[in-house]
Amino acid sequence: MQKILNYINGEWVKPAVNEYLDVVNPATGGVIAKTPLGTKADVDSAAKAASEALPAWRRTPVNDRVQYLFKLRDLMRSNHDEIAKLITDEAGKTFEESKAEMVRAFENIEVACGMPHMMKGEFVEDIAPGIDELMIRQPVGVCATIAPFNFPGMIPFWYLPYAVAAGNTYIVKPSEKVPTTMQFVFKLIEQVGFPKGVVNLVNGAKETVDGILEHPAIRAVTFVGSTNVAKYIYATAAAHGKRVQAQGGAKNPVIVLPDADMDMATKIIADSAFGCAGQRCLAVSFAVTVAEARNTFTELICDAAASRVVGYGLDSGVQMGPVINADSKARVESLIGLGVKEGATAPVDGRGTSVKGYESGHFVRPTILADVPRESEIARTEIFGPVLSLMHVNTIDEAIELVNSGQYGNQASLFTSSGSAARKFKYEAEAGNVGINIGVAAPMAFFPFSGWKDSFFGDMHGQGMDAVEFFTQKKVVVERWPKEWTRKF
Ligand code: NAD
């Protein structure tokens, strides 16, 4: 049985704890590893190593720093299948979904390799006679990421490559539900040969997180997870004087107009709602049909939901895996029950699913909740499972008003063939990531991964130039060199 270790100061170390959690393959129900419930002492060791590594790493020229990242990208690509298999086994998604997740991680490393250009400063001559002014970007110091369970391989790479390329040192804390992917990725990080202490791994849950939030040497924290925890992270890290960006939960709407290509819309919306078993922060979770879009779309989406092949993500032909664990299955099923109690119907009901050969797996089949009442709790609650709610209105204005009335603002999408409807939606939708005829509007690595309202706390986002801003601090220098001080040669 694999026991999860920490990677601190270039060494694999056993955390000083006796309590371990089971890491369970959600498709088979089998225990695949034991992960430590780490302590603040582990964080302290990692922060000490990262602090000691900082001065030399900062002095390493940026074009030398990115050479380590080029090497890491190559190693990760040559182990793509191996990493994807680990993701499927601990997080439940299909092998293809796991491979796609890692492509976005590679992309982020590639973009961060442009750091010699991206962290350039600014210079203005003669802001007053004989006086120049310049702005330099310098690293912030020791930084850390606290990650969720649903993208075990990708999410640390929204941040780590930019931070390290900019001259910071780093600590990653994966979700205790899915620690094996980072365990493997850190073996590759070890092979890359970063100087000791530049990149560190600590495992654990709340106590480890609190250790990061409170540690005086850690200057910046990024978090991805549920909204309540995001609020806690944002407030606590800020109270300890840190930079923080905290990405929270979501309840993503899609509007379907009558002029949409219904076959295309159905396929894309089904992939968004049921891909990764609905456990994506950009998964569409409620569809608002406008006017006569209702009947066609309802019929097509019910067929798409009912025909999805559910099973173990490493078996061929499987289109959707399980949800993360037994608690999550129970929660998703009880929310479907709540929706029905509140007046919705369930024309496709995924409760009580059992998959032959995987009877201990935590499967919920795709579910459609139709005629969801606007004021119901199910219309507002993040389900984070393969459940698509349907609502209906008569005009695009009503639809946008409904979309904007929600608590979250991670993503909003529109399906239409009208340019003016698309423009109106782009202009008015209150969401950080907007899709037009797109089901998962995931920004490429060279754009910020946005998020508004209760889906994001902070100002700078992950990825792209926002990551450069977040992981550097600006220094402004005003300088005067009088002519009479010039040595005569
Ligand atoms: P979670 O909030 O339960 O856990 C995230 C991290 O926080 C984990 O590392 C965990 O150890 C830690 N944590 C959990 N409870 C804590 C507490 N009380 N105090 C301190 N730390 C704590 O989230 P999850 O279930 O792993 O992930 C699913 C959630 O993440 C969903 O809500 C989803 O929408 C969200 N998510 C958002 C984005 C985004 O980009 N906005 C991306 C992926 C996932």
Side-chain angles (χ1 to χ4, degrees):
M1 177 66 56
Q2 183 187 13
K3 270 203 167 176
I4 298 298
L5 298 174
N6 292 339
Y7 182 76
I8 297 175
N9 207 25
E11 308 283 341
W12 289 98
V13 288
K14 195 170 163 297
V17 291
N18 294 318
E19 216 184 322
Y20 282 79
L21 288 180
D22 288 345
V23 181
V24 175
N25 178 327
T28 64
V31 177
I32 53 178
K34 299 265 181 196
T35 195
L37 277 178
T39 63
K40 293 182 182 176
D42 302 322
V43 176
D44 194 46
S45 307
K48 193 162 170 278
S51 300
E52 284 169 8
L54 189 63
W57 185 244
R58 182 194 156 187
R59 277 196 306 274
T60 305
V62 60
N63 41 323
D64 291 346
R65 289 197 299 254
V66 299
Q67 298 311 314
Y68 294 88
L69 293 175
F70 279 117
K71 195 167 166 194
L72 178 59
R73 199 284 309 249
D74 288 349
L75 269 174
M76 284 171 65
R77 278 180 78 139
S78 52
N79 286 274
H80 196 170
D81 284 3
E82 186 69 27
I83 300 172
K85 191 173 167 303
L86 288 168
I87 295 174
T88 295
D89 271 341
E90 67 179 359
K93 59 183 77 175
T94 66
F95 184 64
E96 288 70 28
E97 288 168 343
S98 300
K99 283 196 81 167
E101 162 175 351
M102 290 317 294
V103 171
R104 189 50 56 87
F106 305 154
E107 230 180 58
N108 270 288
I109 303 176
E110 287 159 7
V111 172
C113 284
M115 195 57 74
H117 177 68
M118 291 194 293
M119 74 182 294
K120 283 192 303 199
E122 296 167 355
F123 194 101
V124 176
E125 278 183 336
D126 290 323
I127 50 131
I131 299 179
D132 301 333
E133 183 161 343
L134 59 140
M135 185 276 285
I136 308 165
R137 288 183 185 279
Q138 296 187 337
V140 173
V142 179
C143 306
T145 280
I146 300 158
F149 80 80
N150 64 328
F151 284 97
M154 172 184 74
I155 284 179
F157 286 91
W158 284 353
Y159 314 106
L160 183 154
Y162 303 94
V164 167
N168 302 280
T169 53
Y170 219 73
I171 301 171
V172 176
K173 203 294 285 174
S175 163
E176 65 279 17
K177 293 174 193 156
V178 292
T180 69
T181 303
M182 272 303 119
Q183 196 77 173
F184 182 80
V185 167
F186 267 75
K187 297 219 166 92
L188 304 181
I189 284 175
E190 185 181 25
Q191 279 181 48
V192 167
F194 283 97
K196 284 179 191 309
V198 170
V199 194
N200 305 276
L201 175 72
V202 292
N203 286 282
K206 182 168 169 49
E207 186 177 339
T208 313
V209 172
D210 286 340
I212 291 172
L213 301 179
E214 293 162 12
H215 203 289
I218 299 175
R219 303 304 311 139
V221 174
T222 73
F223 169 85
V224 181
S226 53
T227 287
N228 282 345
V229 182
K231 283 183 180 165
Y232 168 75
I233 302 283
Y234 187 60
T236 312
H240 286 84
K242 301 182 199 318
R243 284 187 182 194
V244 51
Q245 51 179 241
Q247 302 194 204
K251 178 93 184 170
N252 301 311
V254 57
I255 298 174
V256 184
L257 294 186
D259 65 2
D261 175 333
M262 286 297 164
D263 289 328
M264 179 185 86
T266 305
K267 188 187 170 315
I268 295 173
I269 293 170
D271 286 346
S272 173
F274 308 128
C276 299
Q279 300 171 122
R280 264 193 301 219
C281 64
L282 295 180
V284 159
S285 64
F286 73 97
V288 184
T289 51
V290 175
E292 62 272 25
R294 180 186 203 162
N295 292 346
T296 329
F297 180 72
T298 304
E299 196 179 313
L300 289 171
I301 198 75
C302 285
D303 288 349
S307 61
R308 215 156 182 96
V309 181
V310 177
Y312 178 29
L314 292 183
D315 290 344
S316 70
V318 168
Q319 295 172 306
M320 193 185 98
V323 294
I324 188 68
N325 55 27
D327 286 352
S328 174
K329 177 176 160 94
R331 183 178 167 277
V332 172
E333 291 190 340
S334 97
L335 284 169
I336 298 170
L338 173 69
V340 172
K341 211 158 50 195
E342 289 183 309
T345 59
V348 185
D349 187 342
R351 286 176 291 181
T353 298
S354 175
V355 172
K356 200 161 177 296
Y358 300 104
E359 285 76 9
S360 303
H362 309 303
F363 296 96
V364 181
R365 280 188 198 279
T367 297
I368 301 288
L369 284 175
D371 300 317
V372 169
R374 185 180 168 149
E375 298 312 326
S376 59
E377 204 179 319
I378 199 71
R380 292 187 300 272
T381 306
E382 179 180 36
I383 301 175
F384 220 55
V387 181
L388 181 68
S389 298
L390 305 184
M391 292 185 223
H392 182 70
V393 295
N394 292 315
T395 65
I396 185 172
D397 288 297
E398 282 175 83
I400 293 176
E401 196 270 319
L402 179 54
V403 161
N404 289 347
S405 67
Q407 165 195 2
Y408 299 104
N410 220 32
Q411 175 188 280
S413 299
L414 173 75
F415 281 77
T416 185
S417 54
S418 154
S420 74
R423 184 176 191 280
K424 177 181 172 66
F425 183 71
K426 268 188 292 188
Y427 198 85
E428 295 180 11
E430 292 175 5
N433 303 295
V434 167
I436 307 289
N437 297 315
I438 296 286
V440 178
M444 299 290 283
F446 33 86
F447 282 98
F449 192 108
S450 189
W452 286 16
K453 295 159 87 175
D454 272 2
S455 296
F456 183 75
F457 305 91
D459 43 15
M460 293 303 152
H461 299 277
Q463 303 195 148
M465 283 309 293
D466 267 30
V468 181
E469 286 287 337
F470 186 77
F471 290 116
T472 57
Q473 48 192 345
K474 297 184 189 107
K475 180 179 279 180
V476 176
V477 180
V478 182
E479 59 184 2
R480 172 191 280 127
W481 293 102
K483 259 208 293 266
E484 55 273 23
W485 295 355
T486 308
R487 280 174 58 190
K488 301 277 180 291
F489 292 100

